[in-house]
Amino acid sequence: MFELIDQKKSLLDARRPFPAHTLRTIHEHLVINWTYHSNAIEGNTLTLSETKIVLEGLTVGGKTLNEHFEAINHKEAILYIEDLVRHHEPLSEWQIKSVHRLILKNVHDEFAGVYRMENVIIGGAAHIPPDYSQVPAEMSEFVHWTNDSSHGLHPIARAAVVHSDFVKIHPFVDGNGRTARLLLNLELMKAGYPPIVIEKEQRLAYYEALNEAHTTGTPDRFIAFVAQSMDRTLDWYLNLIR
């Protein structure tokens, strides 16, 4: 699958640079869909059209203030990681905390950008995250592994493992899933791939693949899940530019 994906990526790269208007519309579509689906996976009830309205600066009747903030925060977090990609910066714990701080801003300020100081469980998952006292050491090791290119993984596999390992540590009290999906796309974009959107309709398959990776130590199913999402994303781009 990686070979086929890279062939499609080469076809896409050959069409660059895209027209300015096309880039703007692609980016707007990406931000709205990514924000909607990532928040919906976590229980946010804004619809896709309502998410678009909120990101345009309006409010939606009958929706909580937190749900509005979650949409606005997620857009700001996307813009932040895009800036990290432009500056070619290696991943750091400070960056991860900054992404998380944006995600929980005005929602749970007391937890924003702060490693958890309590033990947690992941609802519906067999894996139990490490004791909170182990989080700083595990996050240090996580960042070191992420910035080490010697493991020789394909960029898509590497990005998938980054997501999986981050969720396995579960370093924050809340907002881990959204942060993990942002880090996944940060690593994909650094490697020259477009970001993917894990849709709320894929939630069960997504959680099952993660749970298998965490309980068996084998991330193959989750890597395949991410690769399939990338394959569909490249098809969407290629159909658009044709």
Side-chain angles (χ1 to χ4, degrees):
M1 178 169 280
F2 290 148
E3 183 178 352
L4 178 61
I5 286 172
D6 287 343
Q7 289 173 1
K8 292 180 180 180
K9 178 180 179 295
S10 296
L11 289 174
L12 183 65
D13 290 342
R15 301 298 297 270
R16 298 178 189 275
F18 304 144
H21 176 71
T22 301
L23 277 176
R24 284 196 300 271
T25 55
I26 287 174
H27 188 262
E28 179 183 1
H29 174 85
L30 169 68
V31 170
I32 294 170
N33 277 269
W34 185 355
T35 296
Y36 162 67
H37 284 287
S38 194
N39 282 338
I41 287 173
E42 305 301 331
N44 188 297
T45 67
L46 289 174
T47 65
L48 181 62
S49 58
E50 288 171 343
T51 299
K52 182 177 187 294
I53 289 170
V54 171
L55 296 184
E56 290 172 349
L58 302 176
T59 57
V60 178
K63 300 297 181 178
T64 67
L65 193 58
N66 278 357
E67 289 181 310
H68 285 75
F69 280 131
E70 284 175 352
I72 295 166
N73 290 353
H74 195 275
K75 177 181 179 179
E76 291 183 5
I78 292 175
L79 299 180
Y80 174 69
I81 68 166
E82 289 176 339
D83 191 57
L84 294 180
V85 173
R86 281 190 290 270
H87 287 86
H88 306 286
E89 298 182 13
L91 186 67
S92 68
E93 290 184 68
W94 183 85
Q95 291 172 357
I96 295 171
K97 290 179 178 180
S98 296
V99 170
H100 186 260
R101 192 175 298 114
L102 288 171
I103 289 294
L104 290 193
K105 184 175 65 172
N106 297 319
V107 178
H108 290 300
D109 285 320
E110 67 275 26
F111 299 135
V114 180
Y115 289 154
R116 58 183 169 88
M117 293 298 293
E118 57 190 86
N119 290 332
V120 296
I121 58 172
I122 305 173
H127 166 70
I128 298 177
D131 188 90
Y132 73 88
S133 64
Q134 299 174 1
V135 168
E138 295 217 12
M139 285 303 295
S140 177
E141 183 178 346
F142 167 79
V143 168
H144 176 76
W145 185 93
T146 301
N147 291 323
D148 181 6
S149 60
S150 65
H151 41 63
L153 290 175
H154 186 279
I156 294 174
R158 178 177 167 278
V161 172
V162 165
H163 178 299
S164 176
D165 285 357
F166 177 85
V167 173
K168 187 175 184 179
I169 299 170
H170 218 75
F172 302 108
V173 170
D174 189 24
N176 293 281
R178 280 164 288 189
T179 303
R181 292 184 287 276
L182 285 156
L183 295 179
L184 167 69
N185 279 334
L186 172 62
E187 296 306 313
L188 288 173
M189 289 189 287
K190 282 180 179 179
Y193 292 83
I196 64 171
V197 174
I198 298 173
E199 299 180 351
K200 72 168 188 174
E201 292 80 8
Q202 299 173 285
R203 182 178 179 179
L204 179 59
Y206 169 61
Y207 283 158
E208 287 179 344
L210 276 174
N211 192 54
E212 181 175 305
H214 297 159
T215 55
T216 68
T218 304
D220 294 357
R221 183 177 175 184
F222 186 66
I223 291 171
F225 176 88
V226 172
Q228 289 161 4
S229 294
M230 177 59 71
D231 190 54
R232 288 192 298 270
T233 299
L234 289 169
D235 283 343
W236 182 84
Y237 275 93
L238 289 170
N239 288 330
L240 178 68
I241 64 172
R242 287 192 185 114

